[in-house]
Amino acid sequence: MRDLVDILKKRAKGGYNFEKDLNRRDFIKLQRVKSGFLYLALANPLTNPILSTLRNSFPSLFPDSLLTPQLLETRRTQLASVRKEKVEAVKEYIKKGLEEKNKSDLFQFIVPAKNGQASFLDNVPKEKVQHVENLFVNDINGMDEEALSLLGEGLGIRMSNRIPLFYLRHRLGEKLESLDMDDRRIKIDGLSSFTEEELKEALLDRGYLSTEGMTREQCEEALRKWSGFADKRLPDALILYSMLFRTS
């Protein structure tokens, strides 16, 4: 409630576009305030037992802001346990496609990035980067069911086959849009305005499974590298695979 009061005070000063002109921290607060009202209904089994049961049974159906810290930690633990398996499955899917295109020699460069790298493309020799980028030319609507399912499961967006494909496609697109908007707000606000916790949360949003042991300087550098990578306006598929192909 205090967050809402702070934002409304800024709104009362005039000349303020309620969402567009918010800095990143206030924008996140606003999203949490919006979700908070729905959360009250979801968290109270007396007011909405069905939604409450769904939230606790299938946390992947709901955004992070609607999850309790325990459910959020459960989601990340589950994701860490399946990430390695899904990465291997995605690599097999890519390898099959490369063989069909007689480009199997490029498969050796599909190596997960380390935390200090912007993406797996950092492992690709400069003369081969363009060739590898050209492998991932699809937008969300051009990706087939197998690719969408593997990415959704690997990124923790589809933890259950009960989530229909059209909704998975929507969630992946929504994820890309929110990251694009967040990258712009980060540039405007500057990394120096972040707390260390906010830096680590931003990295988790971009595919980092763990930021344990990373210093503030390392977190800032990692976000700068991601921003430089995302600035290239790359295909949807390449950004999603870059989030997936990262070591924990």
Side-chain angles (χ1 to χ4, degrees), residues 193-209:
S193 67
F194 280 47
T195 64
E196 189 167 332
E197 182 181 356
E198 287 171 335
L199 289 169
K200 291 184 176 182
E201 284 180 355
L203 288 173
L204 289 170
D205 284 343
R206 287 156 176 78
Y208 283 67
L209 282 180

mmCIF file of all heavy atoms in Angstrom, residues 193-209:
data_model
loop_
_atom_site.group_PDB
_atom_site.id
_atom_site.type_symbol
_atom_site.label_atom_id
_atom_site.label_comp_id
_atom_site.label_asym_id
_atom_site.label_seq_id
_atom_site.Cartn_x
_atom_site.Cartn_y
_atom_site.Cartn_z
ATOM 1 N N SER A 193 21.821 3.143 -9.822
ATOM 2 C CA SER A 193 20.634 3.365 -9.001
ATOM 3 C C SER A 193 20.072 2.058 -8.434
ATOM 4 O O SER A 193 19.170 2.068 -7.610
ATOM 5 C CB SER A 193 19.544 4.067 -9.824
ATOM 6 O OG SER A 193 19.053 3.217 -10.855
ATOM 7 N N PHE A 194 20.620 0.921 -8.871
ATOM 8 C CA PHE A 194 20.130 -0.376 -8.444
ATOM 9 C C PHE A 194 20.699 -0.765 -7.085
ATOM 10 O O PHE A 194 21.849 -0.453 -6.771
ATOM 11 C CB PHE A 194 20.555 -1.465 -9.432
ATOM 12 C CG PHE A 194 19.715 -1.563 -10.664
ATOM 13 C CD1 PHE A 194 19.371 -0.443 -11.401
ATOM 14 C CD2 PHE A 194 19.263 -2.791 -11.103
ATOM 15 C CE1 PHE A 194 18.619 -0.530 -12.535
ATOM 16 C CE2 PHE A 194 18.497 -2.904 -12.241
ATOM 17 C CZ PHE A 194 18.166 -1.776 -12.952
ATOM 18 N N THR A 195 19.910 -1.468 -6.309
ATOM 19 C CA THR A 195 20.457 -2.170 -5.155
ATOM 20 C C THR A 195 21.059 -3.479 -5.679
ATOM 21 O O THR A 195 20.762 -3.915 -6.796
ATOM 22 C CB THR A 195 19.375 -2.502 -4.118
ATOM 23 O OG1 THR A 195 18.434 -3.423 -4.695
ATOM 24 C CG2 THR A 195 18.630 -1.240 -3.682
ATOM 25 N N GLU A 196 21.884 -4.119 -4.885
ATOM 26 C CA GLU A 196 22.485 -5.380 -5.316
ATOM 27 C C GLU A 196 21.407 -6.443 -5.532
ATOM 28 O O GLU A 196 21.496 -7.252 -6.459
ATOM 29 C CB GLU A 196 23.502 -5.860 -4.276
ATOM 30 C CG GLU A 196 24.331 -7.041 -4.749
ATOM 31 C CD GLU A 196 25.540 -7.311 -3.870
ATOM 32 O OE1 GLU A 196 26.049 -6.354 -3.249
ATOM 33 O OE2 GLU A 196 25.955 -8.485 -3.797
ATOM 34 N N GLU A 197 20.371 -6.418 -4.702
ATOM 35 C CA GLU A 197 19.279 -7.375 -4.856
ATOM 36 C C GLU A 197 18.546 -7.166 -6.181
ATOM 37 O O GLU A 197 18.192 -8.126 -6.865
ATOM 38 C CB GLU A 197 18.287 -7.237 -3.695
ATOM 39 C CG GLU A 197 17.134 -8.227 -3.755
ATOM 40 C CD GLU A 197 16.155 -8.062 -2.607
ATOM 41 O OE1 GLU A 197 16.418 -7.228 -1.715
ATOM 42 O OE2 GLU A 197 15.127 -8.770 -2.603
ATOM 43 N N GLU A 198 18.350 -5.903 -6.578
ATOM 44 C CA GLU A 198 17.677 -5.605 -7.842
ATOM 45 C C GLU A 198 18.516 -6.056 -9.030
ATOM 46 O O GLU A 198 17.983 -6.531 -10.035
ATOM 47 C CB GLU A 198 17.388 -4.100 -7.937
ATOM 48 C CG GLU A 198 16.256 -3.644 -7.022
ATOM 49 C CD GLU A 198 16.123 -2.131 -6.954
ATOM 50 O OE1 GLU A 198 17.131 -1.422 -7.198
ATOM 51 O OE2 GLU A 198 15.023 -1.658 -6.657
ATOM 52 N N LEU A 199 19.829 -5.900 -8.928
ATOM 53 C CA LEU A 199 20.720 -6.361 -9.992
ATOM 54 C C LEU A 199 20.590 -7.871 -10.190
ATOM 55 O O LEU A 199 20.480 -8.360 -11.318
ATOM 56 C CB LEU A 199 22.165 -6.006 -9.661
ATOM 57 C CG LEU A 199 22.576 -4.538 -9.737
ATOM 58 C CD1 LEU A 199 23.959 -4.348 -9.127
ATOM 59 C CD2 LEU A 199 22.547 -4.040 -11.173
ATOM 60 N N LYS A 200 20.588 -8.598 -9.093
ATOM 61 C CA LYS A 200 20.521 -10.053 -9.172
ATOM 62 C C LYS A 200 19.151 -10.522 -9.670
ATOM 63 O O LYS A 200 19.060 -11.502 -10.424
ATOM 64 C CB LYS A 200 20.859 -10.657 -7.810
ATOM 65 C CG LYS A 200 22.328 -10.463 -7.432
ATOM 66 C CD LYS A 200 22.700 -11.148 -6.125
ATOM 67 C CE LYS A 200 24.201 -11.004 -5.860
ATOM 68 N NZ LYS A 200 24.616 -11.699 -4.624
ATOM 69 N N GLU A 201 18.095 -9.827 -9.278
ATOM 70 C CA GLU A 201 16.762 -10.169 -9.769
ATOM 71 C C GLU A 201 16.687 -9.965 -11.288
ATOM 72 O O GLU A 201 16.068 -10.756 -12.003
ATOM 73 C CB GLU A 201 15.701 -9.313 -9.077
ATOM 74 C CG GLU A 201 15.406 -9.742 -7.647
ATOM 75 C CD GLU A 201 14.345 -8.878 -7.002
ATOM 76 O OE1 GLU A 201 13.916 -7.888 -7.635
ATOM 77 O OE2 GLU A 201 13.944 -9.178 -5.865
ATOM 78 N N ALA A 202 17.315 -8.887 -11.772
ATOM 79 C CA ALA A 202 17.316 -8.611 -13.207
ATOM 80 C C ALA A 202 18.047 -9.712 -13.970
ATOM 81 O O ALA A 202 17.632 -10.106 -15.066
ATOM 82 C CB ALA A 202 17.963 -7.252 -13.483
ATOM 83 N N LEU A 203 19.132 -10.219 -13.401
ATOM 84 C CA LEU A 203 19.882 -11.299 -14.049
ATOM 85 C C LEU A 203 19.078 -12.599 -14.052
ATOM 86 O O LEU A 203 19.081 -13.333 -15.043
ATOM 87 C CB LEU A 203 21.225 -11.512 -13.341
ATOM 88 C CG LEU A 203 22.263 -10.404 -13.566
ATOM 89 C CD1 LEU A 203 23.481 -10.632 -12.688
ATOM 90 C CD2 LEU A 203 22.676 -10.329 -15.027
ATOM 91 N N LEU A 204 18.396 -12.879 -12.956
ATOM 92 C CA LEU A 204 17.554 -14.076 -12.898
ATOM 93 C C LEU A 204 16.480 -14.021 -13.976
ATOM 94 O O LEU A 204 16.137 -15.033 -14.587
ATOM 95 C CB LEU A 204 16.919 -14.212 -11.516
ATOM 96 C CG LEU A 204 17.859 -14.607 -10.370
ATOM 97 C CD1 LEU A 204 17.148 -14.466 -9.025
ATOM 98 C CD2 LEU A 204 18.357 -16.033 -10.540
ATOM 99 N N ASP A 205 15.953 -12.823 -14.226
ATOM 100 C CA ASP A 205 14.938 -12.642 -15.267
ATOM 101 C C ASP A 205 15.489 -12.936 -16.656
ATOM 102 O O ASP A 205 14.733 -13.200 -17.593
ATOM 103 C CB ASP A 205 14.393 -11.209 -15.253
ATOM 104 C CG ASP A 205 13.421 -10.965 -14.122
ATOM 105 O OD1 ASP A 205 12.915 -11.953 -13.552
ATOM 106 O OD2 ASP A 205 13.171 -9.790 -13.793
ATOM 107 N N ARG A 206 16.824 -12.861 -16.801
ATOM 108 C CA ARG A 206 17.460 -13.021 -18.108
ATOM 109 C C ARG A 206 18.139 -14.379 -18.270
ATOM 110 O O ARG A 206 19.028 -14.530 -19.099
ATOM 111 C CB ARG A 206 18.449 -11.873 -18.326
ATOM 112 C CG ARG A 206 17.738 -10.559 -18.594
ATOM 113 C CD ARG A 206 18.578 -9.338 -18.258
ATOM 114 N NE ARG A 206 17.864 -8.113 -18.623
ATOM 115 C CZ ARG A 206 16.870 -7.570 -17.905
ATOM 116 N NH1 ARG A 206 16.481 -8.162 -16.773
ATOM 117 N NH2 ARG A 206 16.269 -6.459 -18.298
ATOM 118 N N GLY A 207 17.715 -15.345 -17.484
ATOM 119 C CA GLY A 207 18.191 -16.713 -17.674
ATOM 120 C C GLY A 207 19.227 -17.198 -16.689
ATOM 121 O O GLY A 207 19.601 -18.373 -16.719
ATOM 122 N N TYR A 208 19.699 -16.316 -15.804
ATOM 123 C CA TYR A 208 20.660 -16.761 -14.804
ATOM 124 C C TYR A 208 19.927 -17.598 -13.761
ATOM 125 O O TYR A 208 18.979 -17.117 -13.142
ATOM 126 C CB TYR A 208 21.313 -15.560 -14.115
ATOM 127 C CG TYR A 208 22.371 -14.864 -14.930
ATOM 128 C CD1 TYR A 208 22.043 -14.169 -16.087
ATOM 129 C CD2 TYR A 208 23.708 -14.908 -14.554
ATOM 130 C CE1 TYR A 208 23.016 -13.536 -16.851
ATOM 131 C CE2 TYR A 208 24.689 -14.272 -15.297
ATOM 132 C CZ TYR A 208 24.329 -13.588 -16.452
ATOM 133 O OH TYR A 208 25.291 -12.964 -17.195
ATOM 134 N N LEU A 209 20.353 -18.826 -13.557
ATOM 135 C CA LEU A 209 19.717 -19.671 -12.549
ATOM 136 C C LEU A 209 20.216 -19.349 -11.154
ATOM 137 O O LEU A 209 19.530 -19.574 -10.174
ATOM 138 C CB LEU A 209 19.988 -21.145 -12.860
ATOM 139 C CG LEU A 209 19.142 -21.751 -13.978
ATOM 140 C CD1 LEU A 209 19.520 -23.200 -14.183
ATOM 141 C CD2 LEU A 209 17.667 -21.635 -13.647
#
